Amino acid sequence: MNDRKQHVVKVAHQLFIDKGFQATSIQDILEYSGISKGTFYNYFSSKNELLMAIFKTNYSELEKERNELLIGQNRSDIEIFIKQVEIQLKTNRKNNLISLFEEVMVLNDSDLKEYMQQGQLKNISWIYHRLIDIFGEKRKPYLLDSAIMFMGILRENLKYHHRANESNANIGHVVRFSVKRLVKIVDELVESDDQLIQPELFESWLPDCRRPNHAFQKKLHHTIFILKSTFIQNEKQSKSTELLDFIEDELMDSKNPRRFLIESAILSLKSFGRKELEKDLQQLEQFVEEYFGESSF
């Protein structure tokens, strides 16, 4: 996303917070961002798509922060998970994402509702896979139910804690309190050998049923992060970050990943001539081959 498009997203986000999504017109966005109608429609097909871009931008930043907490750390450390959840809640509050989410969910717009619901499923999926990191593969059959219950417990605890401590709410305390309950839930489900929702069924609800497995996701995230870090002091940092984000989005979130575009993006990264990146770019190529189940690079 270029700087001008990012500016439009930022301006629209503030307008949606101040006036509400419904009450903000495309003309408002044009006037406040200083762009023409033609430029707007070159960036976004509709106001709905712009709202989706706002959520996607915030989620990308959140994902980056959460992943950075794992660098050099033991993924099974529950303290890291607590910090990751805190970051998510604080990001949502800082960017007023909950109020936007609630407004959209009462609208009679099936596309936006579906997008938001898929976002909820992705969040549960993230928690579920982090719980696998923490509690191990042996407890995996019980961890989806645990993730779903944790989300409900956390949401209600936050709501009533804020009501009781409006001027002195402590998100960190609520998260830690809720995670302690989560640990007990996992233990109880394992002991009773009780299961409500099959993880395989849940995975089929996600935007892409072909979604790569957890191990693949971790390896891809790590390689993308290393490549971005190496490009930081390069004059082509902005372009390389855009290409890497595109590759990750195609492989992780697209219903029909476009291999020819992914290959083209990798070739562009190679053309930057950074010898120290050769090994990591080769690793990225191997991930693409693994994903599509064949080798044609």
Side-chain angles (χ1 to χ4, degrees):
M1 192 182 295
N2 61 45
D3 291 342
R4 199 174 186 192
K5 188 174 180 180
Q6 286 179 335
H7 172 67
V8 176
V9 169
K10 185 176 181 180
V11 168
H13 187 179
Q14 191 59 52
L15 282 170
F16 292 162
I17 291 170
D18 294 341
K19 298 182 65 174
F21 174 72
Q22 275 189 295
T24 301
S25 67
I26 289 179
Q27 187 59 40
D28 291 331
I29 297 168
L30 300 183
E31 291 175 2
Y32 279 85
S33 61
I35 63 169
S36 67
K37 185 176 287 188
T39 300
F40 177 88
Y41 283 108
N42 183 46
Y43 292 154
F44 310 101
S45 64
S46 64
K47 192 171 72 168
N48 284 8
E49 186 177 324
L50 172 55
L51 179 62
M52 292 177 189
I54 289 170
F55 277 98
K56 186 173 182 180
T57 297
N58 280 279
Y59 180 78
S60 295
E61 292 173 358
L62 168 64
E63 192 171 35
K64 178 176 178 292
E65 290 185 53
R66 289 191 311 203
N67 288 337
E68 285 176 347
L69 285 175
L70 286 170
I71 297 174
Q73 303 296 323
N74 185 343
R75 297 183 70 91
S76 65
D77 185 350
I78 202 166
E79 290 296 322
I80 302 297
F81 175 68
I82 289 172
K83 291 177 183 177
Q84 288 177 313
V85 175
E86 281 186 53
I87 285 177
Q88 178 170 339
L89 296 175
K90 289 176 180 177
T91 297
N92 289 347
R93 176 168 292 188
K94 181 181 71 173
N95 296 311
N96 290 93
L97 298 181
I98 300 301
S99 60
L100 280 176
F101 175 84
E102 289 174 345
E103 181 181 0
V104 168
M105 293 307 288
V106 299
L107 298 178
N108 189 26
D109 189 310
S110 58
D111 289 340
L112 275 179
K113 282 186 177 180
E114 174 67 17
Y115 179 81
M116 295 302 179
Q117 287 166 355
Q118 292 294 343
Q120 287 181 309
L121 291 175
K122 284 184 179 182
N123 192 41
I124 292 173
S125 178
W126 176 79
I127 293 172
Y128 166 56
H129 286 104
R130 285 294 288 118
L131 296 187
I132 295 173
D133 291 334
I134 295 165
F135 294 101
E137 289 286 336
K138 288 185 178 180
R139 295 187 168 196
K140 184 176 178 179
Y142 314 99
L143 298 180
L144 176 59
D145 291 330
S146 300
I148 293 170
M149 285 189 280
F150 172 68
M151 285 295 296
I153 290 169
L154 181 61
R155 182 181 62 248
E156 295 304 304
N157 283 344
L158 283 167
K159 181 169 69 176
Y160 289 104
H161 175 78
H162 181 73
R163 182 171 181 173
N165 304 274
E166 190 168 348
S167 61
N168 194 33
N170 186 332
I171 290 178
H173 174 67
V174 177
V175 173
R176 189 171 294 278
F177 178 89
S178 302
V179 169
K180 285 181 179 179
R181 310 290 79 76
L182 167 65
V183 173
K184 298 294 185 182
I185 287 171
V186 173
D187 289 341
E188 194 278 328
L189 287 177
V190 172
E191 184 178 349
S192 63
D193 191 22
D194 208 1
Q195 191 177 23
L196 186 63
I197 299 175
Q198 296 289 332
E200 295 77 16
L201 175 62
F202 175 79
E203 295 288 349
S204 73
W205 298 341
L206 291 168
D208 181 14
C209 297
R210 188 186 176 184
R211 193 172 177 82
N213 63 41
H214 187 42
F216 178 92
Q217 292 179 47
K218 288 198 291 186
K219 291 188 294 183
L220 180 64
H221 276 312
H222 178 72
T223 300
I224 294 287
F225 179 81
I226 293 297
L227 286 165
K228 284 182 179 179
S229 300
T230 308
F231 271 114
I232 283 178
Q233 297 181 340
N234 186 273
E235 67 278 4
K236 297 185 182 293
Q237 178 192 353
S238 178
K239 181 63 176 177
S240 62
T241 299
E242 184 178 340
L243 289 168
L244 289 165
D245 283 340
F246 168 76
I247 292 169
E248 189 166 18
D249 286 346
E250 282 289 298
L251 292 175
M252 301 298 292
D253 297 322
S254 176
K255 289 185 178 179
N256 297 293
R258 296 161 291 183
R259 181 169 186 167
F260 70 99
L261 290 179
I262 296 172
E263 292 177 351
S264 177
I266 293 177
L267 287 174
S268 295
L269 290 168
K270 284 183 171 182
S271 72
F272 295 158
R274 299 292 298 275
K275 289 188 176 181
E276 66 271 30
L277 296 176
E278 288 180 1
K279 182 178 178 181
D280 291 309
L281 286 173
Q282 287 175 359
Q283 182 69 65
L284 187 56
E285 287 178 336
Q286 290 175 12
F287 290 153
V288 174
E289 293 172 9
E290 179 182 335
Y291 182 91
F292 288 100
E294 58 184 43
S295 176
S296 65
F297 267 88

